[in-house]
Amino acid sequence: DAGITQSPRHKVTETGTPVTLRCHQTENHRYMYWYRQDPGHGLRLIHYSYGVKDTDKGEVSDGYSVSRSKTEDFLLTLESATSSQTSVYFCAIKGSSDTEAFFGQGTRLTVV
Amino acid sequence: AQKITQTQPGMFVQEKEAVTLDCTYDTSDQSYGLFWYKQPSSGEMIFLIYQGSYDEQNATEGRYSLNFQKARKSANLVISASQLGDSAMYFCAMRDWGNQFYFGTGTSLTVIP
């Protein structure tokens, strides 16, 4: 367990509003990831980070931005939420060993 | 581009029987890792087993084993002695040399009493 906490766990927001999801880790792991999970698509990478202020886009990054100003926090922002961004969002961490990859509990986001 | 394929959307298995969940991957990387995760109805992602691309022996973790066939690029999960609590979604994933992870679309396993 890498001590990963996602907040909030559930959120309902209106179309057009900004939303920020937080992923917090307690073990100073370098790599952090944001995924979205949708039926029939598995988990798709939105953005990832390989260090403080070092981030890169994944396959479904449009409409999302991220920031990592501290090792322990990786923030995902929906600048202007749309109904297509209704999903379950998972934060993940690559552990210190190549054999380790852990997930947060997930955030269920509904955009109405 | 990396790709993970799970061709079985749903599987059924009798309690106490073994079941194999299929996973194939596509990569040109020499160094990579393969993972299986379980997602019960509660939603959390639970790590089950890992296989490195250079590992010569198939990985095992309790009732889980990974049938790794490198030349065929397959990494099937075998669950022995299925239990009712094994009913869940199962995801295959690959970590590439750049530490990006790619996931399949998942297999829903139902264990029948």
Side-chain angles (χ1 to χ4, degrees), chain B residues 14-65:
Chain B
Q14 205 75 37
E15 193 178 6
K16 300 180 184 176
E17 298 293 313
V19 62
T20 297
L21 306 184
D22 293 341
C23 173
T24 59
Y25 58 94
D26 187 15
T27 183
S28 56
D29 292 352
Q30 296 300 306
S31 176
Y32 52 89
L34 298 158
F35 298 75
W36 277 92
Y37 290 87
K38 173 184 178 182
Q39 186 178 44
S41 58
S42 53
E44 71 267 34
M45 295 287 285
I46 302 168
F47 166 76
L48 295 179
I49 197 166
Y50 169 83
Q51 178 88 38
S53 58
Y54 293 116
D55 295 341
E56 295 186 350
Q57 300 232 345
N58 286 342
T60 59
E61 290 285 350
R63 293 187 299 111
Y64 304 108
S65 60

Side-chain angles (χ1 to χ4, degrees), chain A residues 33 35 37 48 94 98 101, chain B residues 37 39 91 95 99-101:
Chain A
Y33 310 82
Y35 290 90
Q37 183 180 19
Y48 69 101
K94 177 187 173 300
D98 281 347
Chain B
Y37 290 87
Q39 186 178 44
F91 290 96
R95 185 205 70 245
N99 289 314
Q100 286 201 47
F101 290 80

